[in-house]
């Protein structure tokens, strides 16, 4: 039970102090569950992140559900998921009750611009950090470049980019695995 309450607390803190959605939560989740609590290895975290991205629903909720279930079963999963959504729920409820014109206040607008800049920095950091740790063979680089072309030049919906990447991984992944002598 102590571990389940710890999950509730950890995810509540993550939900409370990260603004900008699920991707902004990734660095703090990694710090908490890989480096501090040591619930996951770096590889397990990256695998769970990949699964959370392709699973329907918000990435933060998927991560909380997966980590909570792994560490505390059904109760841990429920408490972790509750922990990550509760801060947003409380804050939005309070804003809707008391601050109808909150976004019209110049200081609030500047605050959100500053937060947005920080969130972009966090997402950029985690992107480069994951890239540094990835197995960068020719297939990986080609798939990464193709994804960037699909997103930035062809303006393909990110859902299709994920599906195309998965399909190419299934089709060509075995070929590159056999030729590189790697098994993943």
């Amino acid at each position: 039970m102590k571990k389940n309450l710890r999950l509730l607390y950890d995810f509540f803190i993550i939900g409370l102090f990260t603004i900008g959605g699920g991707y902004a939560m990734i660095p703090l989740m990694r710090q908490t569950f890989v480096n501090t609590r040591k619930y996951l290895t770096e590889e397990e975290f990256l695998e769970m992140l990949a699964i959370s991205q392709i699973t329907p629903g918000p990435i933060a909720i998927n991560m909380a559900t997966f980590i909570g279930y792994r560490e505390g079963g059904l109760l841990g999963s429920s408490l972790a998921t509750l922990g990550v959504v509760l801060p947003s729920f409380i804050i939005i409820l309070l804003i809707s009750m008391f601050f109808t014109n909150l976004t019209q206040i110049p200081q609030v607008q500047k605050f959100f611009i500053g937060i947005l800049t920080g969130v972009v920095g966090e997402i950029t950091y985690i992107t480069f950090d994951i890239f540094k740790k990835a197995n960068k063979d020719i297939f990986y680089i080609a798939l990464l470049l193709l994804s960037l072309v699909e997103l930035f030049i062809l303006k393909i919906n990110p859902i299709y980019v994920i599906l195309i990447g998965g399909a190419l991984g299934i089709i060509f992944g075995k070929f590159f695995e056999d030729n590189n002598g790697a098994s993943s």
Side-chain angles (χ1 to χ4, degrees):
M1 187 62 177
K2 184 178 178 184
K3 193 175 212 180
N4 288 334
L5 292 176
R6 170 69 64 190
L7 286 165
L8 174 68
Y9 172 79
D10 286 341
F11 276 105
F12 185 86
I13 295 300
I14 289 168
L16 185 62
F17 288 104
T18 50
I19 299 172
Y23 287 103
M25 293 180 178
I26 293 169
L28 190 52
M29 284 186 195
R30 182 171 163 231
Q31 176 64 35
T32 302
F33 300 113
V34 174
N35 300 332
T36 304
R37 300 272 182 250
K38 307 225 185 283
Y39 290 167
L40 305 167
T41 66
E42 184 73 31
E43 294 76 27
E44 291 169 330
F45 181 81
L46 293 176
E47 288 172 4
M48 203 168 282
L49 176 61
I51 291 169
S52 294
Q53 289 174 326
I54 62 170
T55 306
I59 191 169
I61 293 174
N62 292 343
M63 289 287 288
T65 304
F66 291 149
I67 293 171
Y69 187 79
R70 178 178 168 183
E71 295 303 315
L74 187 58
L75 181 60
S77 179
S78 300
L79 290 175
T81 303
L82 178 66
V84 81
V85 300
L86 200 54
S88 296
F89 176 77
I90 293 169
I91 291 168
I92 293 299
L93 182 64
L94 291 173
I95 288 172
S96 69
M97 288 172 51
F98 300 110
F99 304 105
T100 55
N101 294 322
L102 183 68
T103 58
Q104 302 305 315
I105 301 170
Q107 291 82 3
V108 172
Q109 292 172 347
K110 292 174 185 173
F111 175 75
F112 284 127
I113 290 170
I115 286 176
L116 180 61
T117 305
V119 168
V120 170
E122 286 181 344
I123 293 170
T124 303
Y125 164 77
I126 195 74
T127 300
F128 282 111
D129 201 48
I130 289 171
F131 180 76
K132 285 189 316 192
K133 292 180 170 86
N135 179 18
K136 294 179 276 291
D137 59 14
I138 189 73
F139 178 66
Y140 178 88
I141 299 296
L143 199 54
L144 174 64
L145 293 174
L146 175 65
S147 297
L148 291 173
V149 167
E150 291 170 339
L151 290 167
F152 288 109
I153 297 171
L154 301 175
K155 306 288 188 203
I156 294 177
N157 185 315
I159 293 170
Y160 295 130
V161 174
I162 292 169
L163 294 174
I164 291 167
L168 291 174
I170 291 169
I171 294 167
F172 294 109
K174 184 65 175 162
F175 169 76
F176 282 96
E177 179 181 294
D178 291 343
N179 286 338
N180 293 330
S183 60
S184 41

